[in-house]
Amino acid sequence: MTSNSALSQFADLSPQQRQLLFEKIRQKKLSNARRPLEDAFAPIATDVISLSPHQRSLLELDTFAQATNRVIEINLESQLGLPQLQQAIDQLSQANPLLCSRFDHQQKQFLINDLSTTATLSELVGMPESQHEEAIAHTRDKLARQPNDRQCLHVTLIKCSKQKQRLLLAMHPLLLDSYSLLRLANQLLSYTENPMAFEAAIQSEPGSQHRFANWSAQMLEQKFLQDEWHRLAPKMMTTESSSITAISKVATSSTQIASDFIDSHAPRDVSVKQWLCNALNQCLYSWLSHHEITYWFSDPLLKDSEFENLLGFFPYYVPVKGQPDDVFDITRTLANLHTRYSAVSEHLGRALCSSGSQIPLIHYHWFDVENHQGESVKLASVQHHNNGFMLSPFEIHIIEHGAGLNLDIHFDPDRINSKQLNLLTNDLKALLRQDNTTDSANTNSLPEQLRAIWRDLLQINSIEPDQSFFELGGHSLQVTELKFRIKQQLKLDIPISVLYELTTIEKLSSFILATHGNSLGWLPDAEGQEEEEEGTL
């Protein structure tokens, strides 16, 4: 029963304060509604892999019978041995049963195999170099159409020369989305580079997929979350017509943007993601501004923290309404949309998987692998070759890595004219060629430059020197983005292990000053000198 004192305090609040109070109560109710029931995580003893409502809705579609495997390709400029790769596959398969699964077409079920996938080796060393790309393309196409009745994961290592190799991963598209398949490739390479350190980081959770499937179904049944989704759902998502495309119709256009081009044209004071997405937003807005939503942007952070490290299929996107402005703050826009849709991520994902979308889907990935010395493994390119199926007639995959960017556009030629696509990509390239660089290096102290990167990434105005990145709301999925931003804006390649260990501005700046300060012309201030020893590894 409400006390008179509480009523009196409420009556004294201004309209703005009351609105903030109501919003705080609503957010708490939404958060509580997303907590699972006690039996959601109950273990099961079965060889059938539990599917989420999103996966089940796609599996029932007639067009999904034509789906092929999702395929990615890592172009390595370093040696990778087949035995080490197989050992990594075996180790990861013990922690994640999805990696040793097969598909029963009659029952429409995924079953767990007793044995993990066997990686294959293809030698091109004796073949003329002019024929390499044709042979690799043939292998990609073969992997994309490889049957899944015996195994759903397919791994091929192609040896082109003594120092150049290609790693191709193919997976049934309903088991791993593009983000998870890239993470799997990262984990395999990380294991081969530093197996002892990686083994300690692997956590075996054989029931995680079952737990997620149950949790997702529970969220969709929550009345309070259903009401929230009805309030937030874009009008265009109420259509019943399906736009999910069979892969047999899909064409692909790939572009690589080298790191030298990025260094010459990208502004120094913003991230590569902001620079590229600003140009892409301008192109898509001029093309699709008549739509209620201009495009969907992938948001892996919508995954509940309970399943933060789980590999799987998570169709999480936020709807972006493009703007005609020359400067489009993608980080702030995505942060606001994330807050708005985080409580109804499962409802949004189910809606997309039920009817698809007529507007583009954009995926932004970061890919980085470190060796045992904390140095990035040299990559020539990272490409997303095959979707397996498409939720939209037009999907863009952007992968940022040490050698630059890969831009892979998958489109339905029956719905998207190739001439239109060429105009779009040409406009994008023209915008990116504009010289936006500014000579702003070292205008601020190192702690201030780090603080600016954190503010933009975490969307927080005030950051104290001793506040932890994770206490401020930082997510493990953002650590790789933080590494890339520091590398691009400060020209420093800081090991991810250091970013996990030195989680404050104070400690990280002290470490950088101690290890790189003289070569980069930075001088530690008084505060940095006092803490230098603490931040040195």
Side-chain angles (χ1 to χ4, degrees):
M1 191 171 178
T2 307
S3 67
N4 291 333
S5 176
L7 289 174
S8 176
Q9 292 177 4
F10 180 79
D12 292 338
L13 296 177
S14 66
Q16 293 81 4
Q17 290 173 323
R18 292 181 185 180
Q19 184 63 34
L20 289 174
L21 178 61
F22 289 141
E23 180 61 23
K24 187 175 181 180
I25 294 173
R26 190 179 70 87
Q27 289 295 336
K28 187 174 181 179
K29 289 179 68 176
L30 289 171
S31 178
N32 290 337
R34 285 175 64 86
R35 295 303 93 208
L37 301 178
E38 291 184 2
D39 61 347
F41 293 165
I44 58 170
T46 178
D47 62 348
V48 178
I49 294 177
S50 301
L51 299 181
S52 69
H54 319 316
Q55 293 167 306
R56 290 198 300 269
S57 64
L58 287 169
L59 199 56
E60 295 301 320
L61 292 175
D62 292 336
T63 55
F64 205 81
Q66 304 177 52
T68 56
N69 295 318
R70 194 183 305 277
V71 181
I72 62 169
E73 178 183 340
I74 317 298
N75 190 344
L76 295 162
E77 295 187 346
S78 60
Q79 286 283 6
L80 176 62
L82 186 64
Q84 291 86 349
L85 179 61
Q86 185 62 54
Q87 187 178 8
I89 293 172
D90 295 341
Q91 191 74 23
L92 287 169
S93 296
Q94 293 180 16
N96 192 340
L98 290 181
L99 305 184
C100 49
S101 59
R102 62 183 178 87
F103 184 57
D104 186 328
H105 290 271
Q106 289 186 340
Q107 300 294 326
K108 287 190 175 182
Q109 291 179 334
F110 291 95
L111 305 176
I112 300 174
N113 280 329
D114 294 331
L115 299 176
S116 59
T117 291
T118 300
T120 60
L121 177 65
S122 177
E123 296 262 9
L124 303 182
V125 177
M127 182 184 295
E129 192 171 345
S130 59
Q131 300 177 14
H132 282 190
E133 289 303 323
E134 182 180 352
I136 294 170
H138 175 74
T139 302
R140 282 198 304 262
D141 185 66
K142 184 178 177 181
L143 285 174
R145 304 182 188 284
Q146 191 80 8
N148 293 304
D149 52 345
R150 294 186 178 182
Q151 60 187 39
C152 290
L153 174 64
H154 310 276
V155 182
T156 297
L157 180 64
I158 302 177
K159 189 172 183 180
C160 303
S161 65
K162 190 174 182 180
Q163 290 297 328
K164 292 185 178 181
Q165 295 176 310
R166 305 284 181 95
L167 177 63
L168 279 79
L169 271 68
M171 186 70 168
H172 193 291
L174 261 191
L175 289 183
L176 295 185
D177 56 23
S178 56
Y179 178 80
S180 291
L181 190 56
L182 284 165
R183 279 192 64 197
L184 174 60
N186 181 283
Q187 291 177 355
L188 290 174
L189 291 173
S190 297
Y191 182 94
T192 58
E193 290 291 335
N194 194 359
M196 293 186 65
F198 195 75
E199 279 184 25
I202 294 178
Q203 296 181 353
S204 179
E205 295 183 278
S208 295
Q209 174 61 28
H210 169 72
R211 295 163 62 214
F212 171 75
N214 278 6
W215 173 85
S216 180
Q218 285 187 12
M219 295 308 100
L220 293 173
E221 294 172 359
Q222 288 277 3
K223 179 64 168 60
F224 188 62
L225 296 180
Q226 290 175 359
D227 293 341
E228 182 72 0
W229 170 243
H230 292 150
R231 186 178 72 86
L232 296 176
K235 295 178 182 178
M236 63 181 297
M237 300 198 74
T238 59
T239 177
E240 296 296 329
S241 60
S242 174
S243 62
I244 298 175
T245 309
I247 198 64
S248 57
K249 299 180 179 179
V250 174
T252 300
S253 171
S254 298
T255 303
Q256 185 165 2
I257 303 174
S259 57
D260 291 344
F261 180 92
I262 295 172
D263 291 340
S264 300
H265 296 87
R268 295 285 183 266
D269 54 347
V270 300
S271 66
V272 172
K273 179 181 178 181
Q274 171 65 53
W275 169 65
L276 182 65
C277 289
N278 181 38
L280 188 58
N281 173 78
Q282 292 184 57
C283 294
L284 291 177
Y285 181 82
S286 62
W287 189 19
L288 300 164
S289 59
H290 58 284
H291 283 279
E292 177 195 0
I293 300 171
T294 308
Y295 51 87
W296 294 93
F297 205 101
S298 64
D299 186 1
L301 294 180
L302 281 177
K303 189 194 304 183
D304 192 83
S305 59
E306 181 70 32
F307 311 101
E308 178 180 328
N309 296 313
L310 180 64
L311 300 181
F313 180 77
F314 309 103
Y316 296 146
Y317 302 85
V318 289
V320 178
K321 177 62 178 176
Q323 300 175 13
D325 303 336
D326 291 337
V327 179
F328 177 60
D329 192 340
I330 186 67
T331 304
R332 183 174 297 278
T333 299
L334 293 179
N336 292 337
L337 289 170
H338 175 88
T339 300
R340 181 178 177 83
Y341 288 97
S342 60
V344 293
S345 59
E346 303 309 301
H347 301 75
L348 198 157
R350 181 180 62 176
L352 278 174
C353 290
S354 297
S355 59
S357 173
Q358 298 293 337
I359 58 174
L361 272 64
I362 300 177
H363 308 251
Y364 201 103
H365 313 278
W366 289 269
F367 194 90
D368 183 73
V369 181
E370 294 180 354
N371 60 24
H372 63 282
Q373 297 177 329
E375 300 171 346
S376 294
V377 174
K378 195 170 183 181
L379 305 171
S381 64
V382 183
Q383 292 182 263
H384 186 279
H385 280 291
N386 201 64
N387 256 7
F389 72 97
M390 293 176 63
L391 294 174
S392 162
F394 182 29
E395 295 194 20
I396 302 174
H397 288 265
I398 305 163
I399 306 175
E400 184 179 344
H401 51 85
L405 286 165
N406 278 90
L407 183 70
D408 300 305
I409 303 176
H410 308 287
F411 63 101
D412 181 353
D414 291 343
R415 304 190 196 187
I416 306 294
N417 188 296
S418 58
K419 189 174 181 180
Q420 286 179 306
L421 184 65
N422 290 334
L423 289 173
L424 178 71
T425 54
N426 289 337
D427 287 346
L428 178 63
K429 291 174 183 177
L431 286 171
L432 294 177
R433 286 193 189 98
Q434 295 177 1
D435 191 1
N436 296 311
T437 57
T438 55
D439 188 15
S440 59
N442 300 331
T443 55
N444 294 319
S445 67
L446 175 60
E448 282 303 316
Q449 292 186 67
L450 289 173
R451 188 174 284 109
I453 294 173
W454 282 30
R455 275 199 300 263
D456 185 54
L457 181 59
L458 300 177
Q459 291 297 292
I460 295 176
N461 293 326
S462 178
I463 301 176
E464 297 298 325
D466 59 348
Q467 285 185 293
S468 167
F469 179 81
F470 298 104
E471 291 174 354
L472 290 167
H475 196 281
S476 63
L477 301 181
Q478 293 175 299
V479 176
T480 303
E481 181 177 358
L482 176 62
K483 174 187 169 96
F484 273 95
R485 290 198 179 201
I486 292 175
K487 185 175 182 179
Q488 186 246 338
Q489 294 177 231
L490 303 183
K491 306 304 177 187
L492 293 171
D493 193 1
I494 305 298
I496 286 182
S497 57
V498 172
L499 298 178
Y500 272 108
E501 185 170 347
L502 305 180
T503 60
T504 67
I505 295 289
E506 187 176 54
K507 291 181 178 180
L508 184 57
S509 61
S510 296
F511 166 77
I512 294 174
L513 288 170
T515 55
H516 301 82
N518 292 336
S519 61
L520 295 172
W522 274 315
L523 294 176
D525 52 24
E527 181 181 353
Q529 290 177 342
E530 294 175 358
E531 299 295 334
E532 181 175 342
E533 184 176 350
E534 181 183 355
T536 304
L537 294 181

